[in-house]
Amino acid sequence: MDRPNTWLGVLALAASIAATLNAQPKSGGVEWRTYGGDKGFTRYSPLDQIDRNNVKNLKIVWQRPAVDPRIMDKFPDLSPSNYFRGTPIMIAGVLYAPDGVGLLEAFDAATGQTKWVQQPVEPTLKEAAGQSTRGVAYWRKESDERVISVRRDYLYAMDAKTGKPCRDFGENGRIWLDRHTPDQAGYFGYPGPFVVNDVIVVGGNGGGKSGEGYGDIGFDSHARPEDIRGYDIHSGKLLWTFHVMPRKGEFGYETWGKGSAEYVGNMAAWGAMTADERLGYVYIPLSAPTVAFYGGHRPGKNLYSDSLVALNAQTGKLVWYFQTVHHDLWDYDASTPPILGEITVDGKRIKAVIASNKTGFLYVFDRATGQPVWPIEERPVPQSNTPGEDISPTQPFPTKPPAFERQGFSEADIIDFTPELHRRALEVASHYVFGPLFTPPSLMTGGKKGTLALPGAWGGGNWNTGAFDPETGIYYAVSMTQPTAYGLAKATDPKATMAYWIPFEGLSSGRLPGEIIDSDFDETGGLNVDGLPLWKPPYGRITALDLNQGTKLWTVANGDGPRNHPLVKSLNLPPLGNAGRPVALVTKTLLFVGDSSNAVVGHAGIAGAAKFRAYDKSTGDVVAQVDLPVGATGGPMTYMAGGKQIIIVPVGGKGYGAGWIALGL
């Protein structure tokens, strides 16, 4: 893909702005030291130069393409994806970030001008090509400053000043992370590495086919999970390994019946980690097992799938864990960053860890002990009629706070904008089984196309969910309302390693179960009536939860949604919300959430021009909005440089390309 014309002249623009910004008095400013803002991943900044009175004056002050022009000039055939994940960190006036092909770039925080760019190990197009990751990590001791990144199969340590490899780290500054999985999954770590004191903690995406169980021959349940590993920050030496799939003799092995612990995979930390460096604990959310929609071959609770685990970062030993979903059949990963914050409950100050998953629940614990702040009850859930399935009779339900996303599906959830739309939507819904949260996948028999579950496999909550205001104890959850149809068919292939599967095109399509065989789905993968979602809005929402009280404060739609659709345009509907995965940024004065680009995986987001909105933190009212050429693809961040507060938003989209946009007054 050619570089978009949008980026022509970017460097000249940056240079002209540089003269103005560099003339400003220098200030120490406030940094953004980790991908999530801090080691507790609050996505919070105490900056207040941009406030509710002047936020309407925010403008684009500079832009930077997702891949430095000098790399593109060397490798003109590079075609970086528009799904650009990289959120920068800012240290001492320098931004460090993974670029559109996963190379590490350093650029001036005030102007966006390049300081250095990591070079491919070999000067070939194959070596230069890659995918972006979400973030990098920074470490400093005296004069030794290192930026740690993951690119493809390697863990890198780079000199922060020069961009040169740290020669004492691994082999010439890098360590090979591949584990030779049975399904040749290789290694890829979207969240990037995480540094806890002097230990680099690495998760990854794991072996397996994203939980669907679609192997090269089809219907394959065999893979290998991605273990958590700890490396020495100085030498790169492997210090420890935590087995997310317990091995024989380890606690949890017995929760995998029929010997399935020997071959089931996919579980991994593909979401971001957090840490309490004083305790020395790292908190890691883990994903669902391979073949998340059928589990007859893996009876039991299946530890540590869908779990939050707290590890001693120095030794890798388990401190405590909590499993949010037993024997997952919905791909309800615990992929949301477990945020660390202090709250006051019944007069007691608690250092909490606030976890979530795709169900839309928050699970709040004392971060040292793992004790729930409010009771979490095991409640009966609907049972399966699929032969051989060993569904858990109960699931854990937090008593507080209330869920931030709708759970379960019923006729009351079906659109009723007009009587005719309601009638047509009911007809589509009649082809499915539905019920409360944790209604299991069902067989495609008797005229039914499976179970319609809400939240769906893309989740209510996901990697984008969660920001925490430490001054108020309020958690801001960003979520989308999007069901999934889970329809099981009997496997007939003689090579199949499981009895039932969900027919779909395969991983290359990126589609969810039921989408190719089901005419009820539109091209974006959503159940619809003439392109209108089958269910009631808002389709994308923001929810504020007071974690001192365990109560919901407000919920608002994020974006207009399809209210200008021809079938409802005349109804003057309120904002319906744009489904997608935008990320919240909280400051002392405001809450920022943009529109998600449809370049983000998950059959949601918007195409073309988008908005970046500032919300009143106490009410959810929109205070102001800024026009963006395309939607956000990664998390925004903010810092001070040259006396000015700047907000960076990673963006990407068709016809535009991808890159960073800097907003300022």
Side-chain angles (χ1 to χ4, degrees):
M1 182 185 69
D2 293 332
R3 281 169 285 172
N5 292 333
T6 309
W7 294 113
L8 295 179
V10 164
L11 295 181
L13 172 64
S16 66
I17 294 169
T20 302
L21 291 178
N22 287 339
Q24 303 289 337
K26 300 295 182 183
S27 65
V30 176
E31 299 175 326
W32 188 271
R33 299 183 67 86
T34 75
Y35 156 47
D38 51 47
K39 295 293 174 74
F41 218 95
T42 58
R43 289 174 170 143
Y44 172 83
S45 170
L47 294 180
D48 60 1
Q49 187 182 84
I50 299 170
D51 60 29
R52 64 177 298 114
N53 296 317
N54 60 27
V55 66
K56 63 182 180 294
N57 299 321
L58 272 183
K59 305 291 183 185
I60 296 176
V61 296
W62 54 261
Q63 303 176 58
R64 181 180 174 87
V67 180
D68 188 273
R70 278 166 280 193
I71 293 291
M72 294 301 297
D73 289 343
K74 274 186 183 179
F75 306 99
D77 292 329
L78 271 181
S79 55
S81 169
N82 290 333
Y83 185 8
F84 177 44
R85 300 172 177 86
T87 296
I89 60 174
M90 198 283 264
I91 311 291
V94 180
L95 291 163
Y96 302 95
D99 71 9
V101 292
L103 293 169
L104 184 57
E105 297 192 8
F107 41 104
D108 188 276
T111 68
Q113 290 183 307
T114 300
K115 288 186 171 292
W116 54 258
V117 179
Q118 179 185 4
Q119 298 299 307
V121 173
E122 298 175 3
T124 64
L125 178 64
K126 182 178 179 180
E127 184 64 30
Q131 293 181 301
S132 65
T133 56
R134 302 201 193 283
V136 298
Y138 173 84
W139 175 89
R140 177 179 180 178
K141 187 172 184 179
E142 298 176 348
S143 62
D144 188 1
E145 288 185 84
R146 302 186 176 201
V147 184
I148 312 299
S149 69
V150 167
R151 184 171 192 261
R152 293 163 56 175
D153 292 350
Y154 288 91
L155 174 66
Y156 289 85
M158 314 290 289
D159 185 289
K161 298 183 182 67
T162 66
K164 302 296 183 184
C166 297
R167 304 295 182 186
D168 58 347
F169 184 88
E171 184 176 343
N172 198 25
R174 68 178 190 169
I175 295 165
W176 194 36
L177 296 174
D178 190 31
R179 301 165 299 115
H180 302 293
T181 62
D183 59 344
Q184 298 180 335
Y187 176 86
F188 198 84
Y190 284 111
F194 193 70
V195 175
V196 187
N197 296 318
D198 288 347
V199 178
I200 305 168
V201 184
V202 177
N205 276 27
K209 303 297 184 182
S210 301
E212 289 90 349
Y214 188 95
D216 294 335
I217 61 167
F219 338 128
D220 187 9
S221 62
H222 290 66
R224 183 180 298 164
E226 182 65 75
D227 291 328
I228 311 300
R229 289 173 274 180
Y231 293 89
D232 179 78
I233 189 74
H234 304 280
S235 66
K237 177 184 176 183
L238 178 64
L239 300 175
W240 52 261
T241 299
F242 175 78
H243 301 133
V244 300
M245 170 66 79
R247 297 190 177 179
K248 197 166 187 177
E250 294 179 339
F251 176 75
Y253 181 87
E254 70 285 353
T255 67
W256 295 86
K258 297 183 178 179
S260 55
E262 301 299 327
Y263 60 84
V264 171
N266 198 58
M267 298 184 304
W270 69 260
M273 308 175 192
T274 57
D276 184 322
E277 290 192 305
R278 290 189 176 182
L279 285 174
Y281 296 170
V282 59
Y283 303 90
I284 304 170
L286 295 173
S287 66
T290 315
V291 197
F293 311 122
Y294 175 74
H297 56 288
R298 51 174 174 88
K301 288 188 174 181
N302 304 154
L303 292 177
Y304 293 95
S305 67
D306 303 283
S307 296
L308 173 67
V309 297
L311 305 182
N312 182 309
Q314 191 65 37
T315 65
K317 299 296 184 184
L318 179 69
V319 180
W320 58 265
Y321 79 95
F322 184 86
Q323 188 178 46
T324 61
V325 179
H326 310 316
H327 190 80
D328 190 355
L329 301 177
W330 307 268
D331 202 22
Y332 281 162
D333 296 337
S335 55
T336 304
I339 290 175
L340 305 187
E342 293 193 24
I343 56 178
T344 302
V345 179
D346 296 331
K348 180 182 178 182
R349 195 68 171 165
I350 298 171
K351 292 184 176 181
V353 54
I354 308 153
S356 187
N357 60 7
K358 292 179 180 178
T359 64
F361 278 131
L362 282 191
Y363 309 83
V364 186
F365 307 96
D366 181 296
R367 74 177 78 151
T369 65
Q371 181 68 28
V373 170
W374 295 284
I376 300 176
E377 299 175 347
E378 289 287 337
R379 297 177 184 171
V381 294
Q383 295 298 287
S384 175
N385 63 358
T386 303
E389 185 56 85
D390 185 47
I391 195 168
S392 175
T394 64
Q395 294 288 352
F397 285 73
T399 55
K400 284 187 176 183
F404 58 79
E405 185 50 71
R406 280 171 27 206
Q407 296 175 323
F409 200 90
S410 70
E411 287 191 7
D413 294 301
I414 294 172
I415 53 170
D416 56 2
F417 297 140
T418 68
E420 175 61 13
L421 274 175
H422 187 56
R423 181 192 66 77
R424 293 177 62 192
L426 282 172
E427 169 59 25
V428 174
S430 69
H431 298 268
Y432 299 90
V433 174
F434 43 80
L437 181 67
F438 298 120
T439 296
S442 56
L443 298 174
M444 294 187 290
T445 59
K448 295 294 185 181
K449 299 181 179 181
T451 296
L452 191 60
L454 183 68
W458 293 113
N462 211 290
W463 61 267
N464 61 302
T465 297
F468 181 77
D469 188 333
E471 296 189 18
T472 62
I474 296 174
Y475 180 102
Y476 297 95
V478 180
S479 62
M480 68 175 176
T481 306
Q482 187 184 71
T484 289
Y486 300 95
L488 293 170
K490 188 170 181 59
T492 57
D493 191 311
K495 297 180 181 178
T497 60
M498 50 185 280
Y500 294 88
W501 70 303
I502 292 183
F504 71 119
E505 279 183 315
L507 296 178
S508 61
S509 71
R511 287 188 174 273
L512 286 174
E515 292 179 25
I516 63 148
I517 60 171
D518 195 339
S519 60
D520 298 334
F521 282 81
D522 67 12
E523 63 180 5
T524 66
L527 279 164
N528 76 101
V529 176
D530 289 346
L532 281 174
L534 188 73
W535 54 99
K536 292 178 179 177
Y539 307 118
R541 65 184 69 202
I542 308 167
T543 302
L545 298 165
D546 182 349
L547 296 192
N548 298 304
Q549 304 297 323
T551 57
K552 182 188 295 186
L553 297 178
W554 49 260
T555 296
V556 297
N558 182 48
D560 278 344
R563 64 174 175 166
N564 290 322
H565 187 284
L567 291 178
V568 296
K569 187 175 183 179
S570 63
L571 301 181
N572 297 316
L573 297 172
L576 304 181
N578 295 321
R581 294 181 182 173
V583 178
L585 166 66
V586 187
T587 69
K588 189 176 182 68
T589 56
L590 294 163
L591 170 70
F592 294 93
V593 185
D595 287 323
S596 174
S597 168
N598 66 350
V600 177
V601 173
H603 295 295
I606 65 172
K611 302 290 186 183
F612 186 69
R613 300 179 184 84
Y615 290 89
D616 185 303
K617 294 195 296 183
S618 60
T619 65
D621 294 335
V622 175
V623 178
Q625 53 188 13
V626 180
D627 292 326
L628 298 178
V630 285
T633 49
M637 50 84 74
T638 189
Y639 57 88
M640 293 288 290
K644 300 288 186 180
Q645 183 180 354
I646 293 176
I647 297 172
I648 302 289
V649 186
V651 300
K654 186 177 181 180
Y656 180 81
W660 294 281
I661 288 180
L663 304 172
L665 295 173

